[in-house]
Each structure stands twice: as structure tokens, then as C-alpha cells.
Amino acid sequence: MSLIHRLTSQSAQFDAELRTLLAYEASEDASIEHACAEILHRIQHEGDTALLDYTQRFDRLAVEQASALEISKEELFASLDSLPADQRKALEQAAERVRRYHEHQRTETWTYTEADGTVLGQQVTPLDRVGLYVPGGKAAYPSSVLMNAIP
């Protein structure tokens, strides 16, 4: 028995097979949404205490302060320098492609004034610092870091 299910668009059953493949279990979606809402609620109300608890639970990393989760520039550059040349080149090429793509999405600040004098618009403000969650384990993809951090 093959582990890969192949679909053929010329098959008479293609539409049904595709719908089955893409169907989501509604109860599974609800449980995921509930778990995410619970995590966000705890982080909003308990701050770093909840963050450190989840870091221990999901990443199996015990730290005393959230600042211990920050990676210094020195550590980042040391990690980069330790990569094999072919991997580094591949990551740098991927990063450049992601950067070029997102440059087309840049949004500018703009305003306009309605006839009654009301000023409307959008203020674009860069962030000083951000945190990213990048899944690890069986699905640890460098592309997840690139596509979240670069934009």
C-alpha cells in the first residue's frame, strides 16, 4: 500500500477526491482555535510568566527570564559563520528572494481630508523589536524564519 495518494485531474473522481483531501475536521479546527485563544489569553494576562511556562512545555527549555530567550548579534553571526558554505549560500539566496518579494508590498503613510475637514489615513510605523514563533521538531524549516522575519 502506497503512503502517497496521487490525484489525477483527468479522473472522473478527481473533484470528490480533492474535496476529501482538502476537507478539514471541524472539531479539530475548533480545538486548535481554543488552544490558541487560551495561549494568547494567558500571555496577555500573565505576561512573561506564561511565556516561560509555554517555553518549558513546548520547547523543553527552562529559563528564568524572558531576556534569556533573546539571541545576541554575536551569537547570530557565529551561527551563520558555522554553516557549511553551500547551506549558507542557499539561505542567503532564499533571503534575497523573500526580501525582493516583500519590497513590493511596502506600505506608505498616507492621509487625506474629507470635505467636512475630517482627516483620514494610515500611519506606518516600524517596530523596534518583534518576537517570532518558528515551529521546530519534525517541521523545522529555515524558510519559516525567513518568511516571518524578513518582512
Side-chain angles (χ1 to χ4, degrees):
M1 178 176 184
S2 173
L3 296 176
I4 298 175
H5 184 84
R6 293 183 183 198
L7 300 181
T8 304
S9 60
Q10 288 80 26
S11 166
Q13 293 80 30
F14 175 75
D15 289 338
E17 290 175 342
L18 182 61
R19 275 193 302 278
T20 300
L21 181 66
L22 298 177
Y24 292 108
E25 181 65 43
S27 63
E28 191 173 302
D29 281 353
S31 68
I32 291 169
E33 286 185 34
H34 176 73
C36 290
E38 181 183 322
I39 290 169
L40 292 173
H41 178 80
R42 279 199 60 208
I43 296 289
Q44 287 172 336
H45 290 88
E46 299 174 35
D48 286 354
T49 301
L51 172 69
L52 297 177
D53 178 52
Y54 287 122
T55 299
Q56 170 65 42
R57 187 185 328 175
F58 297 137
D59 300 321
R60 295 180 184 90
L61 178 65
V63 294
E64 298 291 321
Q65 298 178 10
S67 62
L69 300 173
E70 294 182 27
I71 301 171
S72 70
K73 284 185 181 183
E74 292 78 21
E75 290 174 292
L76 290 172
F77 284 115
S79 293
L80 182 62
D81 290 340
S82 73
L83 289 174
D86 59 334
Q87 288 181 12
R88 181 174 175 159
K89 182 179 179 183
L91 286 171
E92 287 172 342
Q93 287 175 336
E96 181 55 33
R97 292 186 72 195
V98 170
R99 187 175 291 107
R100 270 199 322 266
Y101 175 84
H102 286 287
E103 283 174 352
H104 294 284
Q105 293 182 315
R106 283 197 176 163
T107 305
E108 303 294 327
T109 296
W110 55 268
T111 62
Y112 70 95
T113 305
E114 292 280 318
D116 66 358
T118 303
V119 178
L120 301 171
Q122 170 177 283
Q123 175 70 43
V124 177
T125 306
L127 302 173
D128 293 325
R129 201 164 73 152
V130 298
L132 301 175
Y133 172 72
V134 179
K138 294 178 184 176
Y141 302 118
S143 58
S144 297
V145 177
L146 297 176
M147 290 187 284
N148 282 285
I150 290 173

